[in-house]
Amino acid sequence: MSHRAPGLIPALVRFPGAAARQDAWGRLLELTAGGAVLSTAAPLAKGEDLTLSFELAGEELRAVPAKVLHAEPDADGQTLADLRFTDELSRRELSRRLLDALARRL
Amino acid sequence: MADIGVLGGDPQDREALSGLLGEMGHLAYEAGRLEEALEVSRERRPRAWLLVDGAGVDAETLARELRRAFPLLPVMVALKTRDARRAVGLMRVGAAEVVAPPWTPVELKASVSKTLRFQGTALSPLRVAPRRRSGLLFALAVGAFFAFALTQAASRRAEKARAAAAAVTHAWDLPVSHPAGLAFDGESVWVVDWFSQSLYAHSTKDAALGEVRHLTAETPVSAHFAGDSVWTIGADGTVARRMRDAKLTVLQRWPGVARNPAGIVFDGLYLWTLDGRARRLYKRLPDPDLTVAGVYRVPGVKPVGLAYDGKTLWTLDAADRSLRRHNLDRPDEAVELVPLSVYGDGKEVPTGLAFDGTRFWTSAEPRKGGGPARLRRHPEALR
């Protein structure tokens, strides 16, 4: 079961305090319960930790912890990153909301 | 190259962004206020808008208003002050991309490129395997690169041919003489012929005739496929909801509810019927009474067809031979007018309209008779 949302979901990208990095933003090209593909203007590196906040079917998911599995420049010179959600509870919550959203076709 | 509108209160900001867009090969149209932007949208039909946020200008409001008037027009925002929360908020109200300050050609180019290209997020409850990038994969990628290089010229030629084909209006003679409406079922374009009281499925590739459905007890003038149902409307104003089976079995029928029927579409929430003579669009609830939730006057002279593109309604006018786009919330205002130049000589009268997800299709009859009715597939760029 999969579906394409009417638009690309915007996401707020925040980094741990120790990273001393500015908040960034991007778009989710793909979203599953286990991870996401993020397009962002912010440079990202493999292994980097971050949190994503985004809205799915009208509900806000705040600060979902994720790790960068892979990052590479996309065709426009921005960053295309494979993310894995690292928190089991967040993954379950996201899975539930995705199933709900897909059942309602957003 | 694309035409892009630049909306901002400060002329210096507009000039800076227009200059950057110009360097990229785009043509920029500047507007200082929302009213000007709306006028530019109507007259110039830019592919996208770039709004300046900050210094007393609220891009959120501007984005909402622009998207309300032109729902399919992408809007980008250039921030004057970096604020990630603000950027996400703007994207949530419809901004396709948000450019952070300082505005650079690289950032702007990437945002414009993405805005003109991206679709929606792919959602799935299952986790996809992460992309593996092993040494073997690298070697394969190198091999693929060389293979790609060898075939690139051929691909370019094919793409040019495809683009050329997409920019052409294709026309086919129909086996019927009185097409009154068109409908798209996800695979084929159906011609509703009132004279033979039948619906004919035509391939979207070459208009080859496929299935035929006969409605011998009725005179159908329009149809619309929606999920598992088919909505039809007859010349006597009878609306019917049917199963998508070989007989188009009637599930429910509303005799004579729609006068002077010229079109019918279901947008997933409301059923819309078009009264061609009175030039009225009826918005109905799909309840047991087809309760009328609204009546709207349709601009134009002689609307004869109705289609739904997933977000907005379109009417086909046989008199001025053009398409008009209507917002669902204010369908009495046409937000876009697209002349159909193929009917410019007046030899044919357009009769039906459908949208296949990419392109519009129209049917037409010869004005003085004597020739075949025609089915036309219009260029992608039309919309």
Side-chain angles (χ1 to χ4, degrees), chain B residues 1-324:
Chain B
M1 189 189 89
D3 292 0
I4 295 173
V6 178
L7 171 59
D10 187 340
Q12 286 187 338
D13 291 337
R14 296 200 303 267
E15 196 175 323
L17 291 169
S18 297
L20 291 172
L21 290 170
E23 286 175 22
M24 293 173 217
H26 300 302
L27 188 59
Y29 295 107
E30 294 184 24
R33 293 180 297 114
L34 177 65
E35 292 75 11
E36 290 175 30
L38 293 172
E39 196 175 323
V40 168
S41 296
R42 287 188 199 100
E43 291 180 3
R44 304 286 182 180
R45 295 196 205 139
R47 289 275 310 279
W49 274 97
L50 176 58
L51 315 182
V52 181
D53 180 68
V57 176
D58 180 12
E60 192 170 324
T61 307
L62 296 176
R64 279 183 200 277
E65 287 301 307
L66 269 175
R67 288 186 59 79
R68 191 180 64 79
F70 300 93
L72 301 182
L73 199 60
V75 171
M76 298 170 278
V77 177
L79 294 180
K80 294 196 78 169
T81 308
R82 186 186 174 90
D83 182 341
R85 286 189 177 279
R86 173 75 174 158
V88 173
L90 285 162
M91 288 195 282
R92 283 182 182 163
V93 299
E97 283 290 320
V98 178
V99 185
W103 305 326
T104 64
V106 174
E107 285 266 348
L108 196 57
K109 186 178 181 182
S111 294
V112 171
S113 169
K114 283 182 166 57
T115 297
L116 299 178
R117 195 178 72 238
F118 271 175
Q119 300 176 351
T121 302
L123 303 178
S124 168
L126 304 174
R127 185 181 168 205
V128 290
R131 297 172 189 179
R132 298 185 186 281
R133 291 169 179 83
S134 63
L136 177 62
L137 188 62
F138 179 74
L140 287 172
V142 171
F145 172 76
F146 283 110
F148 172 74
L150 289 171
T151 57
Q152 195 176 27
S155 298
R156 280 183 184 162
R157 278 198 299 274
E159 177 58 26
K160 276 184 183 174
R162 195 206 70 78
V168 171
T169 298
H170 293 269
W172 295 273
D173 290 352
L174 284 171
V176 294
S177 305
H178 302 89
L182 294 178
F184 179 66
D185 70 353
E187 290 181 357
S188 306
V189 171
W190 290 75
V191 174
V192 182
D193 187 70
W194 65 266
F195 186 73
S196 59
Q197 298 170 283
S198 303
L199 278 66
Y200 302 84
H202 292 264
S203 161
T204 53
K205 289 181 182 172
D206 54 8
L209 182 60
E211 301 167 80
V212 181
R213 301 279 187 274
H214 300 292
L215 304 178
T216 50
E218 302 164 38
T219 309
V221 295
S222 182
H224 184 77
F225 290 80
D228 296 332
S229 302
V230 185
W231 292 86
T232 61
I233 190 164
D236 64 351
T238 297
V239 172
R241 188 165 69 87
R242 302 164 182 275
M243 293 171 65
R244 285 181 67 165
D245 58 11
K247 294 182 178 176
L248 291 181
T249 307
V250 174
L251 295 168
Q252 198 167 359
R253 197 190 298 271
W254 294 266
V257 293
R259 300 176 63 184
N260 312 311
I264 186 169
V265 298
F266 182 63
D267 68 6
L269 190 60
Y270 297 105
L271 183 74
W272 297 82
T273 57
L274 175 62
D275 182 334
R277 194 167 298 165
R279 284 180 285 159
R280 294 284 190 278
L281 256 178
Y282 287 80
K283 176 180 170 183
R284 300 169 186 273
L285 298 172
D287 61 11
D289 299 321
L290 281 190
T291 306
V292 174
V295 184
Y296 307 92
R297 184 176 175 80
V298 180
V301 184
K302 189 181 178 187
V304 293
L306 182 65
Y308 178 60
D309 68 5
K311 288 188 176 177
T312 53
L313 295 170
W314 291 81
T315 53
L316 168 67
D317 197 301
D320 61 13
R321 300 180 286 275
S322 60
L323 297 178
R324 283 182 174 81

